[in-house]
Amino acid sequence: MFITIVDNIEIDREQRSVRKDGETVHLTGLEYGLLEFLSANANRICSREQILDHVWGTRFQYDTGTIDVHLNALRRKLGWSTKQPIETVRGIGLILHTERPSEDVSPLSLLAYGWLRAHENELKAHGLAVQLQLTPWVNTLTISSDSLRKWLDASLEMLLPTAQNGILCLSSHLTTHHFTLALDINGTITELRIPILRIS
């Protein structure tokens, strides 16, 4: 059964088939695997290591450049640009946007990308793949960027000593009362909860 993943693109996971505007798009096995994995993890950043593990297996464990070759072919066949709906997040991985993101990138996202890039070698040394699950549309916070970076640095320093190969997930959650930023390494979590102050 075909389901729409974004815009005019449909995928049938049982038949491993893809349609655009109702017409079949002929993809190679690896191109289809890349699209299927990204759509199954839509709106989340998937690291290149995760993609290689799930789509290519261990044969290309250290050759992340092969992803770009197949990604370019996939974009060409689907008529997609180099940024949307699959975005390359430099130094981190890929994300398939199934909802059109705002033109204004959240400062929190920029801070998170920059912080992860700064710690990329350290995270790789511990065998950690990275996922971002940030609450969309959070554009202003009542805490400074420097304070958030210091909290992330302190949390990472606390969690890394017990880390083994696995996943680091930086996530956020927004309610009417507070905003929570969480750093999760293989189920060991530290959270920063920021109250939302409303001025009446």
Side-chain angles (χ1 to χ4, degrees):
M1 179 176 70
F2 281 95
I3 59 170
T4 301
I5 56 171
V6 62
D7 295 335
N8 53 351
I9 306 299
E10 300 172 294
I11 190 170
D12 183 335
R13 289 186 168 85
E14 290 184 4
Q15 300 296 321
R16 294 179 62 84
S17 182
V18 175
R19 294 191 308 203
K20 177 182 178 181
D21 295 322
E23 298 291 328
T24 299
V25 178
H26 298 286
L27 302 179
T28 67
L30 290 173
E31 291 164 359
Y32 173 83
L34 179 59
L35 178 63
E36 181 184 46
F37 181 69
L38 290 175
S39 66
N41 294 277
N43 303 308
R44 296 182 180 181
I45 294 180
C46 301
S47 73
R48 290 177 175 270
E49 289 76 13
Q50 287 175 305
I51 294 168
L52 287 173
D53 286 346
H54 286 84
V55 180
W56 275 261
T58 57
R59 291 174 298 156
F60 293 92
Q61 186 174 0
Y62 303 105
D63 182 14
T64 59
T66 193
I67 295 174
D68 296 313
V69 173
H70 291 83
L71 176 60
N72 290 336
L74 178 63
R75 283 172 169 157
R76 186 174 61 251
K77 290 181 180 181
L78 296 179
W80 287 347
S81 74
T82 56
K83 291 188 177 180
Q84 296 296 337
I86 297 177
E87 177 188 358
T88 300
V89 182
R90 185 180 174 189
I92 303 175
L94 304 175
I95 179 172
L96 172 64
H97 297 284
T98 58
E99 298 176 358
R100 289 294 181 187
S102 168
E103 292 298 319
D104 297 322
V105 179
S106 164
L108 177 64
S109 297
L110 293 176
L111 183 148
Y113 296 155
W115 181 81
L116 287 168
R117 280 198 299 270
H119 292 278
E120 182 179 5
N121 291 335
E122 191 176 2
L123 296 173
K124 283 184 177 178
H126 283 82
L128 291 169
V130 174
Q131 286 185 350
L132 288 185
Q133 299 176 26
L134 297 177
T135 303
W137 325 130
V138 178
N139 292 308
T140 57
L141 295 173
T142 57
I143 189 169
S144 71
S145 295
D146 284 342
S147 296
L148 282 176
R149 286 191 196 93
K150 287 178 183 176
W151 176 81
L152 287 168
D153 286 341
S155 298
L156 187 66
E157 186 178 347
M158 179 182 75
L159 296 176
L160 268 185
T162 59
Q164 298 177 345
N165 290 357
I167 302 292
L168 176 145
C169 181
L170 179 59
S171 62
S172 62
H173 181 69
L174 181 66
T175 72
T176 56
H177 303 292
H178 63 264
F179 173 80
T180 301
L181 191 64
L183 195 65
D184 175 348
I185 297 182
N186 295 334
T188 303
I189 304 171
T190 179
E191 288 186 344
L192 174 66
R193 182 169 290 191
I194 306 164
I196 295 176
L197 304 177
R198 298 190 179 278
I199 301 173
S200 55

